[in-house]
């Protein structure tokens, strides 16, 4: 049997007589009924809705959609996995904190000492020069710690890989069990293309299939509306808004400009529709007169459907060899009006279909996706330079201070001996940076005031930049969700998956990659300097900047420590704001509801906002990716990631139960998209780890590579191959994981497909006496979602179809009867 999954539907509560209530004067009783139906409640013994307790188990979420259950289950399991990984990372943080590699930046940021850059520097046994013994001891110690570090990283990376594989297996099993237990229309249905456009009678196709020996429940035809249905959809919503304005006009504080705006938009849509009818369709058509696009067939039993697919394909899908060499041809009984039909085994549930988008061809949708992708890319470029500029403005690159005895007397002596103003400023800065905060403010505040103000200003700018990034990401999310509509997805699940991918990529670039690019200096190649060349002010600002090399000690002190501060704000502030502001938003919403004049507004204000699963999945995925991306450089990222995920889980669960409106019954489409992207987080983590642990400035590949450099020990630049060999454990793990992915996608999946084809060729035995019929489970299905592909019974479209048919009236009739046309809020 082909894979058929329960797809997301519009909650049955959302469609309770909206067309009757939306454009009437507000009624608190109806609003309360609407609230009880649309909030995330359960039913008590008497059938009345009651709120869930916060301690409710996640299994209860399964009743509201497999996708919602998989989301919270994945989040819960990820928290436990990150807890174990954080324990290992905490050991690394402790040993990093015992080093002295970043003593020159003592008071820059306390978090810097937890990074890998704080590894021990070489120590001189004589106090002035480095002996051969000093060099050998430093090399031996660095290799010992490098081995320990890579093995620890190997351990928690392997734990995450095993978690990924185990959860993939478990979730696939849950999905398959759900397919068996949860009967949905798509289980019994298939799509058929290849019909003639003038096909009008679905009963002919039903009779054709039944003549082949298969029982059919119903056949419904989908039409090609040439975009008129989409325009009717927009027209209907505008009419609802205009009727609502007519009711509001009875009150003294009414603003007529709002209705005028709606009327202008309505006239534009109607003019566009008339143009399509005149130039493309030629004349006004009733709904059933539009060209037929495809058919949806619901069989009486799932076995009927599967047998029909096998038999029809076996007798019509002949290869070229079978046709020309063996002389096989299609039997006339398998031809419908002289044509071989194209079978689509997997279709969406009726409630999940965007009927107005079915007419968009694959090539047209591909072009739309290219345009949307280009638009998202342009948005990301704009936000990239906004975030880029903020980071450049808030930069801070202190000079590397020599390790000296920075007493006040010594400092004054060194300043008097310095020959340049910059050297004098640097010595004063180093003295002030090495003071404790207590001593600084008690004894030397006046002397260090300029440096204190500079440092405080830089820290404030970094905090502001973090919030700017947060605001930019929020605006980008709104823009992406808006332009994705242009892609004209055929179903809600595909639209959500496309939105998720675009949201995640934009978040990851803004929060992780920009910071890395800003200070990147890979063997002299400064990417940010070249990217800022079109904007001279940005480039000139960076000319004064000393770019840290890739992951040397200065990078950890300047970039890494500052990034931790920024990341803390970015990962915690959204959830903190949601949790803290939710009672205020709730109060404001209820207060606004007291002044609502029409039922549409009162209903909207009686429930919370939408639970945007695609947005929350994107934020969750971004947290995992960024945490793993930087965890090798800054092990503290793993404990921070653990706390972020824990807060994400607690806040989202609480708000879902107490604040958000009931979400649609999501399927596993978003979960599948996430697990398609997740392996890249592991690959990027391993690549960054190999590059960081192989850095010759921290972990020289040999004692011979050590050289004298201005009185301080430094190392020569090693080759990329030496970097890989320095992190041999992680290199091997990375190769093994890539091999696993290659085997999975290029061998196991194709092999499973071949096995499926071979099994499909075997005879299928169906016990029709034991199998439930569609009629037997119809009441159960219809109580949850739409159970037919008849568009006239779809709450979202039935009034639009009526409106299509009502266009057959004369202009005079339409004008006089306009107010009686039933309307539907989309």
């Amino acid at each position: 049997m082909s894979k058929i999954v329960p797809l997301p539907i519009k909650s049955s509560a959302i469609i309770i007589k909206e067309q009757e209530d939306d454009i009437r004067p507000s009624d608190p009783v109806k609003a309360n009924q609407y609230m009880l139906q649309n909030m995330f409640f359960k039913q008590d013994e008497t059938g009345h809705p009651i709120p869930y307790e916060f301690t409710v188990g996640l299994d209860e979420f399964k009743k509201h959609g497999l996708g919602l259950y998989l989301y919270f289950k994945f989040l819960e399991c990820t928290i436990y996995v990150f807890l174990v990984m954080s324990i290992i990372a905490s050991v690394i943080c402790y040993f990093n904190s015992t080093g002295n590699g970043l003593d020159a930046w003592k008071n820059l940021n306390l978090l810097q000492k937890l990074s890998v850059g704080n590894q021990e520097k070489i120590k001189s046994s004589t106090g002035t020069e480095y002996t051969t013994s000093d060099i050998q001891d430093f090399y031996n110690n660095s290799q010992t710690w490098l081995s320990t570090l890579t093995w620890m990283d190997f351990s928690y990376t392997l734990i995450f890989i095993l978690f990924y594989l185990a959860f993939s297996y478990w979730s696939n099993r849950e999905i398959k069990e759900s397919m068996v237990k949860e009967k949905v229309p798509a289980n019994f249905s298939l799509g058929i293309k290849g019909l003639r456009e003038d096909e009008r009678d679905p009963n002919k196709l039903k009779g054709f299939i039944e003549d082949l020996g298969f029982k059919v429940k119903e056949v419904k035809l989908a039409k090609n509306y040439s975009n008129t249905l989409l325009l009717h959809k927009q027209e209907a919503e505008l009419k609802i808004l205009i009727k609502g304005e007519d009711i509001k006009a009875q009150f003294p504080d009414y603003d007529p400009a709002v209705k005028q705006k709606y009327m202008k938009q309505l006239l534009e849509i109607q003019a566009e529709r008339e143009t399509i009818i005149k130039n493309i369709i030629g004349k006004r058509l009733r709904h059933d007169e539009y060209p037929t696009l495809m058919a949806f067939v619901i069989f009486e039993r799932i076995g009927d459907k599967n047998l029909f697919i096998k038999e029809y394909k076996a007798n019509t899908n002949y290869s070229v060899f079978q046709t020309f060499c063996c002389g096989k041809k299609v039997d006339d009984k398998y031809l419908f009006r002289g044509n071989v039909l194209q079978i689509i085994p997997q279709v969406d549930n009726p409630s999940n279909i965007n009927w107005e988008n079915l007419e968009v061809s694959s090539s047209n949708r591909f072009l739309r996706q290219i345009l949307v992708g280009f638009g998202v890319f342009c948005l990301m470029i704009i936000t990239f330079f906004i975030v880029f500029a903020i980071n450049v403005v808030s930069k801070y690159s202190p000079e590397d201070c020599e390790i000296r005895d920075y007493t006040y007397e010594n400092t004054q002596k060194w300043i008097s001996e310095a020959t340049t103003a910059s050297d004098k400023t640097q010595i004063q800065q180093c003295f002030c940076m090495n003071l404790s905060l207590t001593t600084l403010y008690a004894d030397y505040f006046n002397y260090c005031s300029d440096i204190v103000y500079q440092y405080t200003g830089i820290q404030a700018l970094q905090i502001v930049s973090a919030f700017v990034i947060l605001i930019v990401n929020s605006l980008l999310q709104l823009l992406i969700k808006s332009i994705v509509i242009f892609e004209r997805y055929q179903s809600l699940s595909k639209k959500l998956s496309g939105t998720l991918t675009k949201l995640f990529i934009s978040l990851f670039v803004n929060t992780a990659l920009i910071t890395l690019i800003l200070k990147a200096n890979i063997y002299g190649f400064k990417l940010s300097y070249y990217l800022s060349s079109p904007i001279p002010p940005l480039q000139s600002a960076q000319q004064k900047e000393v770019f840290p090399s890739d992951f040397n000690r200065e990078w950890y002190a300047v970039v890494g420590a500052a990034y931790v501060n920024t990341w803390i704000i970015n990962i915690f502030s959204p959830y903190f704001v949601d949790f803290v502001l939710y009672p205020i938003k709730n109060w404001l919403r209820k207060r606004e509801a007291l002044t609502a004049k029409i039922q549409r507004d009162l209903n909207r204000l009686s429930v919370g906002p939408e639970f945007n699963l695609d947005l929350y999945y994107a934020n969750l995925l971004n947290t995992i990716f960024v945490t793993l991306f930087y965890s090798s450089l800054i092990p503290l990222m793993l404990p921070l990631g653990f706390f972020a995920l824990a807060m994400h889980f607690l806040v989202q669960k609480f708000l879902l139960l107490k604040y958000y409106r009931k979400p649609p019954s999501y399927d596993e489409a978003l979960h599948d998209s996430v697990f398609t992207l997740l392996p890249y987080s592991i690959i990027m983590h391993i690549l960054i780890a190999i590059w960081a642990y192989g850095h010759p400035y921290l972990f020289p590949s040999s004692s011979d590579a050590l050289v004298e450099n201005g009185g301080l020990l430094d190392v020569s630049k090693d080759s990329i191959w030496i970097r890989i060999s320095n992190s041999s454990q992680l290199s091997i793990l990375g190769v093994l994981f890539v091999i696993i992915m290659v085997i999975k996608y290029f061998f196991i999946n194709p092999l499973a497909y071949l096995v499926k084809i071979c099994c499909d060729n075997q005879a299928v035995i169906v016990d029709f006496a034991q199998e439930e019929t569609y009629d037997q489970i119809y009441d159960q299905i219809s109580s949850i979602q739409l159970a037919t592909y008849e568009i006239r019974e779809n709450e979202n479209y039935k009034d639009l179809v009526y409106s299509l048919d009502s266009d057959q009236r004369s202009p005079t009739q339409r004008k006089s009867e306009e107010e009686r046309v039933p309307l539907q809020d989309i």
Side-chain angles (χ1 to χ4, degrees), residues 92 146-159 161 631-633 682-694 723-738:
I92 301 176
L146 174 62
S147 177
T148 305
L149 193 64
T150 52
W151 274 114
M152 286 186 174
D153 201 317
F154 176 93
S155 300
Y156 70 69
T157 305
L158 181 62
I159 289 172
I161 291 175
S631 61
S632 297
L633 313 172
I682 300 171
I683 294 172
M684 284 194 293
H685 166 76
I686 293 174
L687 291 176
I688 292 293
I690 291 171
W691 195 254
Y693 296 150
R723 285 194 168 200
I724 294 175
S725 63
N726 268 8
S727 308
S728 57
Q729 301 96 329
L730 287 169
S731 301
I732 294 172
L733 181 62
V735 171
L736 289 176
F737 182 71
V738 171

Side-chain angles (χ1 to χ4, degrees), residues 135-263:
I135 293 175
Q136 191 62 44
D137 289 343
F138 170 66
Y139 171 73
N140 293 337
N141 291 335
S142 67
Q143 290 302 299
T144 300
W145 178 236
L146 174 62
S147 177
T148 305
L149 193 64
T150 52
W151 274 114
M152 286 186 174
D153 201 317
F154 176 93
S155 300
Y156 70 69
T157 305
L158 181 62
I159 289 172
F160 191 80
I161 291 175
L162 294 176
F163 159 69
Y164 165 76
L165 297 174
F167 197 90
S168 297
Y169 172 79
W170 174 85
S171 60
N172 287 334
R173 190 182 63 182
E174 284 288 316
I175 293 169
K176 291 179 180 178
E177 290 180 358
S178 176
M179 289 165 54
V180 175
K181 295 178 181 178
E182 305 296 332
K183 296 294 191 301
V184 293
N187 292 117
F188 295 81
S189 308
L190 55 78
I192 293 180
K193 288 189 175 182
L195 300 171
R196 287 167 44 172
E197 291 187 354
D198 61 351
E199 183 60 56
R200 299 284 185 267
D201 189 358
N203 291 322
K204 291 182 179 179
L205 181 58
K206 179 180 180 182
F208 167 75
I209 298 175
E210 290 184 333
D211 288 342
L212 294 176
F214 306 98
K215 294 183 179 180
V216 176
K217 168 66 176 176
E218 68 176 30
V219 174
K220 299 298 177 183
L221 301 180
K223 300 293 183 177
N224 186 347
Y225 305 98
S226 299
N227 282 329
T228 55
L229 186 63
L230 178 62
L231 294 173
H232 271 80
K233 199 175 183 183
Q234 297 169 349
E235 179 189 36
E237 183 167 1
L238 283 170
K239 286 182 177 179
I240 289 178
L241 294 173
I242 291 171
K243 287 181 178 293
E245 293 302 312
D246 289 338
I247 296 176
K248 294 179 182 179
Q250 304 171 12
F251 297 89
D253 58 345
Y254 175 68
D255 181 8
V258 178
K259 181 178 179 180
Q260 293 174 4
K261 182 183 71 172
Y262 293 151
M263 289 295 297

Side-chain angles (χ1 to χ4, degrees), residues 498-604:
T499 306
L500 163 66
T501 303
K502 295 176 180 66
L503 285 174
F504 158 67
I505 293 175
S506 64
L507 288 173
F508 182 68
V509 169
N510 284 349
T511 54
L513 296 187
I514 292 181
T515 301
L516 192 65
I517 291 173
L518 181 69
K519 303 290 185 179
N521 181 359
I522 303 175
Y523 297 144
F525 179 72
K526 304 172 183 178
L527 182 59
S528 64
Y529 183 78
Y530 293 103
L531 289 175
S532 60
S533 58
I535 307 177
L538 284 183
Q539 191 178 50
S540 61
Q542 294 186 90
Q543 286 176 342
K544 305 172 185 178
E545 183 83 5
V546 178
F547 284 78
S549 297
D550 57 307
F551 307 144
N552 63 355
R553 296 186 193 277
E554 187 179 2
W555 187 93
Y556 289 98
V558 178
V559 184
Y563 183 74
V564 171
N565 288 331
T566 303
W567 179 236
I568 290 175
I569 295 174
N570 271 281
I571 61 177
F572 289 105
S573 54
Y575 313 130
F576 179 79
V577 170
D578 282 345
F579 184 75
V580 172
L581 292 186
Y582 110 87
I584 300 175
K585 292 179 179 178
N586 222 11
W587 178 77
L588 291 174
R589 179 167 53 83
K590 292 179 179 179
R591 181 182 179 184
E592 186 180 355
L594 297 175
T595 60
K597 300 177 177 62
I598 60 174
Q599 195 66 41
R600 175 188 174 94
D601 293 340
L602 187 58
N603 286 348
R604 174 179 56 83

Side-chain angles (χ1 to χ4, degrees), residues 305-459:
K305 168 192 169 180
N306 294 332
L307 285 172
F308 170 75
I309 294 173
K310 293 177 187 298
E311 179 176 326
Y312 194 83
K313 287 186 174 182
N315 288 279
T316 57
N317 291 356
Y318 293 134
S319 65
V320 175
F321 178 80
Q322 291 173 313
T323 302
F324 288 96
C325 298
C326 302
K328 287 192 175 183
K329 67 174 184 177
V330 179
D331 190 331
D332 288 343
K333 74 174 184 178
Y334 292 101
L335 297 176
F336 180 71
R337 297 184 66 178
N339 295 324
V340 175
L341 303 176
Q342 178 186 346
I343 307 300
I344 305 173
Q346 181 178 332
V347 293
D348 297 316
N349 279 316
S351 301
N352 187 44
I353 296 175
N354 292 325
W355 291 87
E356 68 276 12
N357 293 342
L358 292 179
E359 62 200 30
V360 180
S361 64
S362 299
S363 58
N364 185 286
R365 186 172 291 107
F366 177 72
L367 292 175
R368 289 173 175 271
Q369 289 173 345
I370 291 177
L371 291 175
V372 169
F374 179 75
V376 172
F377 177 77
C378 292
L379 287 174
M380 290 178 62
I381 290 295
I382 295 172
T383 58
F384 179 93
F385 277 103
I386 292 174
V387 177
F388 194 78
I390 292 295
N391 276 274
V392 170
V393 171
S394 62
K395 67 182 186 301
Y396 184 56
S397 180
E399 300 291 338
D400 192 352
C401 299
E402 296 183 39
I403 300 177
R404 300 181 180 182
D405 183 13
Y406 283 100
T407 64
Y408 182 75
E409 293 75 13
N410 288 342
T411 300
Q412 296 305 309
K413 175 184 175 183
W414 295 329
I415 290 177
S416 63
E417 295 174 352
T419 57
T420 64
S422 61
D423 290 340
K424 293 180 180 181
T425 302
Q426 178 188 350
I427 294 170
Q428 181 183 1
Q429 178 179 276
C430 291
F431 166 75
C432 296
M433 287 174 60
N434 278 274
L435 293 172
S436 66
L437 292 177
T438 303
T439 305
L440 173 66
Y441 283 97
D443 302 324
Y444 296 100
F445 183 79
N446 291 332
Y447 182 74
C448 298
S449 59
D450 291 342
I451 296 172
V452 169
Y453 292 142
Q454 179 191 20
Y455 176 78
T456 304
I458 292 299
Q459 295 300 312

